[in-house]
Structure formats: structure tokens, C-alpha cells
């Protein structure tokens, strides 16, 4: 009887699991020309220095990413939540941060005369927005404001589906955001399938999460940003660097988090062993 | 079980002085030291202790978060980000609190399933069970309102959808929804309402937990055999036996909790909640927190009108009924035997129910389209059939296995059997400690 029951339960799990898997595959198989589920292609999984339990940001990469943001993305995308002072995380000195901030013009005020005035940025300022307000941003970009980039790496993520979402717990996959941003930035050169209509003024990108095409034109081209450290000046490299930078912008305390986590888990493991041995000793004199 | 005489003897003058005036040490001693527990409790029985720790974690982290949070639609999202970036250890507090809600629910689901498996709800523990259901309901309200506070896209749209359920109720529905929202749509009054209630409800939960524990200490714990305690050898004092076992269970649970806080803090959340709420931009798929997903699937399973009840009201009724049915479980189960260990057929249906519940949760995360809809309907049907058909009928038809005469006998027989046939150890692991 017991065996039968276990067999039935196992069968149930198997059935539920396989039907779930079948469903995931079925949703992936869209009609090529008129897909209904997005993105059309799953993000390309990349290697990141900050992945895994001991992951750390690559400071040189973050500095390059900042350069890409500053010279390309920041023309349209704000990054309101990030303060210049936090750029110390990227390995910059106080003097460098001061100089960096001073390159920006910040509106301040009102002063004692009641007037708004402009002044060079200081370390405690946040990155200024390229537009005066959301309406101006929307008006300049065909009706939709470009999203703020402070949290973009955590605000984008493609549903992983069964069984990947279970596997992710054990592999600690938490890089869906940067993978998505990288895939989008490098996904413009794909040609749309035959018969697909691409609306005027939009650009086909099979990695875009909410449609077949988006308004943002391919923002990066080879050689566009000059790197001083000899890294390749390619769209692929730019995309990697800016994705890593955005991950830092969204989660600046990630290194401290993972470091603390390791100490906590080691402590829990030791405490767990001690308490378990205590439990064994306490219970050794009773049958249970 | 705890009806026996107190064994507390004050040793020092101060203890005697306090004991004569307000015997709190005596209450603690009788409840957590000398309190007799069945000697065969397994780790499934550690979740009560784990849940009380989680409530404390949530209240402590919550109180500190409130010191930095601003309950205003123009500031809420930014204040949460300020906590994440600028408050010392703010990221830890917030990730603990957000993941703490999830782990609170993981623990409560395991606690409820343990109760269903071992028949913990049966007489004389009906009130204990019902108090537990009330705590669960309060947790759901607290969790839902807490999710609204960061004022992300899923916060606002989740609130829009869930408060929208109330409009399905005839006559008073719209009034009720506007009362909750503090207006016609999710806006600043909604946020302030939910913030006040989110701060209040955990203390209400703590109050009901006291009643829950009180009721438990009157009737005593069940155990994997489901047989009542009959003799002194059936039990052990709570301290050190249950204390140390609970402590180990808590450490394992908290280690998994820590793994998520430090390595996968956003795994259980939704990326859209890192986008500030915009009442003009609807997300592609609005999904509630994972712990509501089975009920969300039940809600959307009702796609047809039943007589005068349209599908919308039908879905809402089915969803509320899915929770309400839990309150009646003590009377729906007609079996004379408590524990599934001695009920082969109930055991089968129980595990099917558990698998079905997880499947419903997965369906809840999917859009209501294609084959998902019939799957939701079949799963919903089994959910209700388990409580309303299987539970009442199985008690009448099922032939339970031979019950041991006492807990002591069960423990001794198991250990003897395990010693004689090591291969049989797996079969007996049901009641293993």
C-alpha cells in the first residue's frame, strides 16, 4: 500500500512538473511574425564579476560604465537616486569626485533674493536629470519619458519560468537585470522575421520585454566612447560595462551584503552544529 | 495537560516576593519550562516557535524602518530608496523585512499543512485551529498592505486589483472599496490608510497569538500518532527537550532565511516594484505576492456566470470561500482517527492536495489564457473537493490502520522495530524525532 501511495505521489509531482514545463515551452513557441509574448528571445546570460556568493564589482569596469552612461545614456536618461559622493565605490578619490561633480550644473535656490540660481555640482548632489520634468522628457521622446536609470538593473527582469526559477535558487542567479540590459543593447542588429510589421519610428529588438520594437534607437556604436585603459571600444564591451555600472547604481551595497552574508552563514552553521550536538546529548537519555 | 498543579518553587526571597504579588515567573515556568510535551514530536512541530520568532523579527525591523519611511505618495518610493542607500544597514533592515514577510508565510504554510496532516484541528482543538485561521487572515491583510507601502508599480496596481474585488459585492461593495481606498482610486489616502493598518495589525496578530498559545496550553499539543497523552511517560518537560529541538529548527530555518536576504534578496519580489507607481501605466501582468498566488488562481478560475452570480462575484466568492473553508475543517473531517500516519487514503489525498496547492500557486503567476484556465478550474475543484467531499466521506469509509495504545508504546515499538530491521527505519520515519 505504502509503495503504491508513494508511487502515486511521485506520479502526481511528475505530471504537474511536466505539464508546467510543457506550458513554458508552449508559450515560447510564438507565431514568428505576430508574437504575443515578449521578449521574443530570452536574455543572453553573461558572466559578471558580481555574480555568485563572493561576487564583487570590477571597479575598472564600473568606471568605464560610468563613462558610457555620462557620454551616451545621460543624454536622455536621468539617474536621480545616485549621488556623486557614492562614486567613491568606483575607486575615485574625494578630489576626483569633487572635480567630476563640478562639471555638472545644478539648479539651486531660492537664494535670499528669492531667485533660483545655477552653480557647479558638489559631491552631495545627485546626477541631474537631462530634462526639466517628466513632461518635457516625454515630449522630447515621442510621448514616453525614458526611464530613470537608478534602479533599472533591478526593475527589469524576464520571468524565468519552470524549471529555471527553481534552479536559480541554488545557482544564486540574480543577474537577470544586467543580462536583460546587455541583451537589449546588443540586440538591435537582428532582422525581424518575414511578415512582421515594425511600426514607424520604432526599432525591432527581440530582447525588448514589452513588445517587438521600441522607440529608443540603437544608442551605441563601435568606437563611440574612448576608453583610456585599453579595453576594446565595441558595442559589446560598452554594453557589458554600462550594465555592470547600472547594477552598481541599483544595488550599491551588494558587496557588503554578500560579505556580511558569508559571516552570517558561517556563524549559523557553527551555531547549528553546536545546538544539534546539544540536542543529541539532551535527548540521548529518552527514547523518542 | 497543563491543568496539573504548578511545579514552580521560588528559590530566593525576591522570587517569593514577586510570586506573591504578580506570579509572572510562575506563568513563564509553567508555560515554557515544566509544560509537558509529547515525547514523539518531530521537526514539523517546530514551526510554532519559528513563527513567533518571525513575528518578532518583522515587528523589530518594521519599527526601525518606520523611523525612516514617509507615507506620502510623493516621498514613499524615495524614502525606501533612501533606506536602501543612505541609512546605516538600511538595506539589511529592508531586505529582512521584505523577505521576512515571505518566510513568515513559508513557515505558516508548513505549520498549517502539519496541522492538516496530523489532524491537529480535531476536538478538543477546534478553537486553537480557528484562532490560527484568524492569525493567517490577519497576516494576509498585513502582508498585502505592507506590499503597498514601497509605492512601486505592483504596490499600486496590486492594491487597485485587490480592492477592486470588493466592488463585486452587491449593494455595499463600492462603498466598502471607497472606504478602504479613502477615495475613488489608489492615491495618497490609500497609502496613509494602509500604513496605519500595517502598523496596527501586527500587534493584533501578537494578541491573537497569545490566545492561540493559551488555547494550546489548555488542550496540549497533538503528536504524530494523534493519540492523546495518557500517562506521565508519554511526555517530557518543555525545557530542555522541546526548547533545544525548537532552537535547532529555528537555526536551520533562519539560515535559509539568511541565504535569501544576503544572496537572493529580490528573488521573491517583482522587478516592477522597483518602478514608482504610475496610475496611468498598467503593467503587462499584475500579480500579487507569491503567497497569494493560489487564491489568485482560484479567483480567476471562475470564468462563467452561475445563475444570478456573475463571474466576477463568483470568483471573489470562490476566493473568500477558499479561506473560509479552513475555519470549518474541524467539523468537515469525520474521521475518528487524527493522524494521517494511520489513514492510508487520507495520506494520499493530503499529498495530492499539497501538490495541487503548489500547482495552483504556479498557475496564479500565469495569465488567464489558453490551457491555464481549465487547469485553474480543475485545480480549484480539487481544492474544494478535498475539504467538502473527501474529508467528510473518507472518515466514513476509510479503514484506519491499527492504532498503538499509547505514545510510549508507539515510540518503544518503533525503536524496537528499527533496531531489529534497519531497513524498516524509513517506513517508521513518520514519527521520527
Amino acid at each position: 500500500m505504502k509503495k503504491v501511495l508513494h508511487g502515486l505521489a511521485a506520479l502526481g509531482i511528475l505530471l504537474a512538473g511536466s505539464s508546467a514545463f510543457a506550458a513554458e515551452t508552449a508559450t515560447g513557441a510564438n507565431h514568428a511574425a505576430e508574437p504575443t509574448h515578449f521578449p521574443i528571445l530570452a536574455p543572453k546570460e553573461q558572466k559578471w564579476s558580481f555574480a555568485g556568493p563572493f561576487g564583487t564589482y570590477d571597479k575598472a569596469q564600473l568606471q568605464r560604465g560610468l563613462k558610457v552612461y555620462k557620454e551616451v545614456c545621460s543624454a536622455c536618461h536621468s539617474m536621480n537616486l545616485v549621488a556623486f559622493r557614492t562614486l567613491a565605490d568606483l575607486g575615485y578619490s574625494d578630489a576626483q569626485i569633487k572635480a567630476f561633480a563640478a562639471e555638472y550644473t545644478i539648479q539651486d535656490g531660492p537664494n535670499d533674493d528669492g531667485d533660483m540660481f545655477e552653480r557647479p555640482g558638489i559631491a552631495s548632489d545627485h546626477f541631474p536629470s537631462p530634462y526639466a520634468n517628466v513632461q518635457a522628457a516625454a515630449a522630447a521622446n515621442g510621448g514616453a519619458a525614458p526611464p530613470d536609470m537608478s534602479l533599472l538593473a533591478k526593475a527589469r527582469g524576464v520571468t524565468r519560468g519552470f524549471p529555471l526559477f527553481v534552479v536559480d535558487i541554488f545557482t544564486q542567479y540574480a543577474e537577470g537585470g544586467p543580462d536583460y540590459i546587455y541583451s537589449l543593447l546588443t540586440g538591435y542588429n537582428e532582422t525581424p522575421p518575414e511578415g512582421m510589421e515594425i511600426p514607424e519610428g520604432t526599432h525591432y529588438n527581440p530582447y525588448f520585454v514589452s513588445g517587438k520594437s521600441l522607440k529608443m534607437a540603437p544608442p551605441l556604436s563601435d568606437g563611440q566612447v574612448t576608453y583610456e585603459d585599453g579595453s576594446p571600444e565595441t558595442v559589446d564591451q560598452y554594453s557589458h560595462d554600462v550594465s555592470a555600472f547600472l547594477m552598481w547604481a541599483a544595488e550599491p551595497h551588494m558587496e557588503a551584503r554578500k560579505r556580511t552574508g558569508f559571516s552570517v552563514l558561517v556563524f549559523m552553521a557553527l551555531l547549528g552544529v553546536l545546538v544539534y550536538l546539544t540536542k543529541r546529548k539532551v535527548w540521548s537519555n529518552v527514547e523518542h | 495537560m497543563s491543568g496539573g498543579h504548578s511545579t514552580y518553587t521560588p528559590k530566593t526571597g525576591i522570587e517569593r516576593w514577586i510570586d506573591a504579588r504578580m506570579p509572572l515567573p510562575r506563568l513563564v515556568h509553567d508555560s515554557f519550562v515544566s509544560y509537558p510535551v509529547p515525547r514523539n514530536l518531530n521537526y514539523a512541530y517546530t514551526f510554532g516557535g519559528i513563527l513567533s520568532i518571525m513575528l518578532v523579527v518583522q515587528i523589530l525591523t518594521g519599527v526601525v524602518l518606520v523611523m525612516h519611511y514617509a507615507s506620502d505618495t510623493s516621498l514613499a518610493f524615495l524614502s525606501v530608496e533612501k533606506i536602501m542607500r543612505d541609512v546605516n544597514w538600511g538595506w539589511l533592515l529592508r531586505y529582512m523585512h521584505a523577505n521576512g514577510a515571505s518566510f513568515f508565510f513559508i513557515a505558516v504554510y508548513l505549520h498549517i499543512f502539519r496541522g492538516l496532516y496530523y489532524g491537529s484541528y480535531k476536538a478538543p482543538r477546534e478553537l486553537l485551529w480557528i484562532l490560527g485561521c484568524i492569525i493567517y487572515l490577519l497576516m494576509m491583510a498585513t502582508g498585502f498592505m505592507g506590499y503597498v507601502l514601497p509605492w512601486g508599480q505592483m504596490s499600486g496596481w496590486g492594491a487597485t486589483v485587490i480592492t477592486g474585488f470588493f466592488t463585486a459585492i452587491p449593494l455595499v461593495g463600492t462603498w466598502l472599496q471607497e472606504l478602504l481606498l479613502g477615495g475613488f482610486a489608489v492615491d495618497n489616502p490609500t497609502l496613509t490608510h494602509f500604513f496605519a493598518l500595517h502598523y496596527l495589525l501586527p500587534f493584533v496578530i501578537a494578541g491573537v497569538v497569545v490566545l492561540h498559545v493559551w488555547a494550546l496550553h489548555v488542550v496540549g499539543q497533538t503528536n504524530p500518532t494523534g493519540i492523546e497523552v495518557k500517562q506521565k511517560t508519554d511526555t517530557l518537560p518543555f525545557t530542555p527537550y522541546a526548547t533545544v529541538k525548537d532552537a535547532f529548527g529555528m537555526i536551520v530555518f533562519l539560515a535559509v532565511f539568511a541565504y535569501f536576504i544576503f544572496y537572493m534578496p529580490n528573488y521573491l519580489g517583482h522587478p516592477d516594484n522597483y518602478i514608482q507607481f504610475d496610475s496611468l501605466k498598467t503593467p503587462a501582468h499584475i500579480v500579487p505576492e507569491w503567497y497569494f498566488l493560489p487564491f489568485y488562481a482560484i479567483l480567476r478560475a471562475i470564468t462563467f456566470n452561475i445563475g444570478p452570480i456573475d463571474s466576477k462575484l463568483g470568483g471573489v466568492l470562490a476566493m473568500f470561500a477558499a479561506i473560509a473553508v479552513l475555519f470549518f475543517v474541524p467539523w468537515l473531517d469525520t474521521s475518528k482517527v487524527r493522524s494521517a500516519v494511520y489513514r492510508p487514503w487520507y495520506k494520499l489525498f493530503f499529498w495530492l492536495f499539497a501538490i495541487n496547492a503548489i500547482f495552483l500557486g504556479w498557475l496564479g503567476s500565469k495569465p488567464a489564457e489558453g490551457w491555464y484556465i481549465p487547469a485553474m478550474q480543475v485545480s480549484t475543484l480539487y481544492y474544494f473537493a478535498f475539504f467538502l467531499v473527501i474529508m467528510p466521506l473518507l472518515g466514513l469509509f476509510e479503514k484506519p490502520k491499527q492504532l498503538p495504545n499509547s505514545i510510549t508504546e508507539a515510540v518503544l515499538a518503533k525503536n524496537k522495530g528499527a533496531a531489529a530491521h534497519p531497513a524498516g527505519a524509513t517506513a517508521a520515519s513518520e514519527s521520527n524525532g
Side-chain angles (χ1 to χ4, degrees):
Chain A
M1 185 65 190
K2 194 142 208 141
K3 272 195 180 143
V4 176
L5 293 180
H6 283 178
L8 275 173
L11 189 73
I13 295 170
L14 207 72
L15 272 178
S18 55
S19 58
F21 183 71
E24 297 293 347
T25 355
T27 44
N30 275 322
H31 189 259
E34 281 315 317
T36 49
H37 290 85
F38 301 104
I40 296 167
L41 296 176
K44 295 175 269 189
E45 280 182 49
Q46 299 300 301
K47 268 195 155 39
W48 302 104
S49 67
F50 47 82
F54 303 105
T56 51
Y57 290 120
D58 174 352
K59 284 184 179 153
Q61 184 176 41
L62 297 193
Q63 293 193 0
R64 293 194 301 269
L66 170 66
K67 202 157 192 282
V68 176
Y69 169 73
K70 193 187 172 200
E71 293 179 18
V72 184
C73 320
S74 69
C76 303
H77 291 275
S78 60
M79 199 163 59
N80 294 329
L81 302 174
V82 179
F84 293 127
R85 61 184 156 77
T86 59
L87 293 176
D89 293 359
L90 274 57
Y92 291 114
S93 67
D94 286 355
Q96 282 172 309
I97 291 170
K98 249 186 179 163
F100 184 88
E103 290 173 31
Y104 287 86
T105 309
I106 306 287
Q107 197 189 45
D108 203 345
N111 62 15
D112 291 345
D113 298 324
D115 299 322
M116 300 303 278
F117 61 94
E118 289 187 336
R119 58 163 177 78
I122 53 172
S124 62
D125 284 323
H126 287 209
F127 276 86
S129 175
Y131 300 101
N133 48 56
V134 183
Q135 286 75 9
N141 289 281
D148 183 82
M149 278 192 163
S150 322
L151 283 166
L152 205 63
K154 289 201 284 186
R156 294 292 182 277
V158 174
T159 313
R160 298 274 284 170
F162 184 83
L164 267 185
F165 81 86
V166 183
V167 177
D168 286 349
I169 296 175
F170 301 97
T171 58
Q172 289 189 13
Y173 178 75
E175 288 74 40
D179 279 344
Y180 172 77
I181 296 168
Y182 167 83
S183 304
L184 185 83
L185 289 173
T186 54
Y188 279 99
N189 47 11
E190 312 255 349
T191 34
E194 200 131 339
M196 182 186 278
E197 302 252 350
I198 303 298
E200 185 82 15
T202 68
H203 307 269
Y204 173 71
N205 194 323
Y207 298 99
F208 186 46
V209 75
S210 43
K212 55 194 172 185
S213 59
L214 69 165
K215 286 215 173 104
M216 178 171 79
L220 297 166
S221 55
D222 288 347
Q224 188 178 359
V225 178
T226 313
Y227 279 159
E228 275 128 39
D229 64 356
S231 299
E233 293 171 0
T234 58
V235 170
D236 187 78
Q237 186 66 38
Y238 295 150
S239 305
H240 266 130
D241 294 347
V242 81
S243 303
F245 170 73
L246 290 176
M247 190 68 232
W248 167 79
E251 188 78 359
H253 298 303
M254 188 213 69
E255 288 183 8
R257 187 184 78 204
K258 290 184 174 179
R259 224 169 29 235
T260 315
F262 185 68
S263 318
V264 169
L265 286 181
V266 168
F267 172 80
M268 297 291 269
L270 291 176
L271 185 66
V273 169
L274 291 178
V275 172
Y276 181 70
L277 292 175
T278 313
K279 187 241 147 201
R280 289 253 308 216
K281 179 86 180 77
V282 166
W283 283 81
S284 63
N285 59 354
V286 284
E287 287 191 75
H288 58 282
Chain B
M1 219 150 65
S2 66
H5 291 288
S6 174
T7 57
Y8 176 71
T9 39
K11 287 180 199 77
T12 62
I14 296 170
E15 283 176 88
R16 275 192 294 275
W17 189 88
I18 294 172
D19 193 51
R21 283 158 182 83
M22 193 205 57
L24 183 65
R26 177 181 295 275
L27 179 71
V28 172
H29 181 273
D30 293 346
S31 310
F32 302 107
V33 180
S34 67
Y35 173 65
V37 293
R39 61 194 284 181
N40 59 340
L41 295 188
N42 59 30
Y43 280 106
Y45 286 82
T46 60
F47 286 98
I50 288 168
L51 281 160
S52 34
I53 290 280
M54 289 311 295
L55 180 61
V56 172
V57 167
Q58 288 305 86
I59 289 178
L60 289 182
T61 52
V63 166
V64 183
L65 286 171
V66 164
M67 294 176 188
H68 303 279
Y69 174 76
S71 61
D72 182 285
T73 51
S74 61
L75 295 172
F77 188 82
L78 297 176
S79 69
V80 170
E81 272 309 307
K82 185 131 184 97
I83 290 169
M84 291 297 289
R85 287 159 193 272
D86 296 335
V87 172
N88 292 333
W89 297 97
W91 58 267
L92 178 58
L93 286 170
R94 192 209 158 209
Y95 278 154
M96 276 175 85
H97 198 73
N99 285 285
S102 282
F103 275 79
F104 206 152
F105 274 95
I106 290 174
V108 90
Y109 283 132
L110 291 169
H111 194 59
I112 293 171
F113 273 107
R114 193 270 291 144
L116 285 174
Y117 188 82
Y118 291 121
S120 304
Y121 45 81
K122 293 180 78 69
R125 294 181 182 80
E126 302 95 323
L127 269 182
L128 176 61
W129 172 265
I130 288 172
L131 286 165
C133 292
I134 292 170
I135 295 171
Y136 175 49
L137 209 58
L138 287 168
M139 279 175 64
M140 292 174 97
T142 312
F144 158 62
M145 293 193 210
Y147 198 61
V148 177
L149 302 186
W151 210 241
Q153 274 285 67
M154 279 301 153
S155 301
W157 287 100
T160 305
V161 170
I162 293 184
T163 54
F165 297 160
F166 290 95
T167 58
I169 303 168
L171 301 174
V172 293
T174 310
W175 173 81
L176 205 60
Q177 185 219 21
E178 285 169 11
L179 185 75
L180 272 171
L181 292 178
F184 300 113
V186 172
D187 210 335
N188 208 56
T190 319
L191 183 59
T192 51
H193 282 192
F194 283 13
F195 179 50
L197 292 173
H198 183 71
Y199 204 110
L200 169 71
L201 288 184
F203 298 98
V204 179
I205 292 177
V208 186
V209 166
V210 170
L211 298 181
H212 190 65
V213 174
W214 183 11
L216 172 72
H217 284 224
V218 171
V219 295
Q221 260 140 324
T222 54
N223 63 89
T225 64
I227 309 165
E228 287 292 344
V229 168
K230 288 175 184 158
Q231 61 214 44
K232 204 158 180 350
T233 57
D234 287 349
T235 65
L236 295 165
F238 190 86
T239 302
Y241 295 99
T243 326
V244 72
K245 199 165 183 170
D246 277 357
F248 182 64
M250 282 172 197
I251 291 165
V252 172
F253 186 83
L254 291 178
V256 181
F257 179 34
Y259 179 87
F260 273 81
I261 294 170
F262 293 108
Y263 297 121
M264 324 270 308
N266 295 305
Y267 177 82
L268 295 162
H270 197 290
D272 277 9
N273 233 22
Y274 279 110
I275 304 168
Q276 194 164 354
F277 175 54
D278 182 345
S279 59
L280 299 175
K281 239 186 243 159
T282 318
H285 300 296
I286 302 171
V287 279
E289 301 93 298
W290 69 267
Y291 39 86
F292 293 141
L293 288 175
F295 301 106
Y296 196 51
I298 291 174
L299 169 88
R300 295 178 302 160
I302 312 300
T303 50
F304 43 85
N305 301 338
I306 310 159
I309 302 168
D310 64 1
S311 61
K312 185 184 176 193
L313 179 60
V316 172
L317 287 176
M319 188 182 63
F320 284 123
I323 302 161
V325 73
L326 293 172
F327 285 79
F328 299 97
V329 162
W331 296 278
L332 287 169
D333 184 355
T334 52
S335 169
K336 290 199 169 53
V337 175
R338 274 202 191 94
S339 169
V341 174
Y342 304 100
R343 302 183 59 191
W345 284 104
Y346 177 75
K347 192 192 267 180
L348 171 73
F349 288 115
F350 168 85
W351 285 113
L352 281 178
F353 177 78
I355 294 163
N356 184 60
I358 294 168
F359 188 53
L360 264 179
W362 178 79
L363 285 170
S365 74
K366 295 285 153 195
E369 60 182 32
W371 75 275
Y372 297 137
I373 295 171
M376 284 173 190
Q377 288 164 344
V378 171
S379 263
T380 302
L381 195 67
Y382 184 72
Y383 181 97
F384 283 107
F386 177 76
F387 291 115
L388 300 175
V389 181
I390 295 168
M391 268 197 170
L393 291 184
L394 215 52
L396 305 178
F397 295 113
E398 184 183 36
K399 188 177 176 299
K401 289 192 208 166
Q402 178 71 43
L403 286 174
N405 289 315
S406 70
I407 295 170
T408 309
E409 190 193 286
V411 170
L412 296 180
K414 184 197 81 190
N415 288 357
K416 219 168 104 194
H421 322 278
T426 43
S429 66
E430 300 286 355
S431 52
N432 204 355

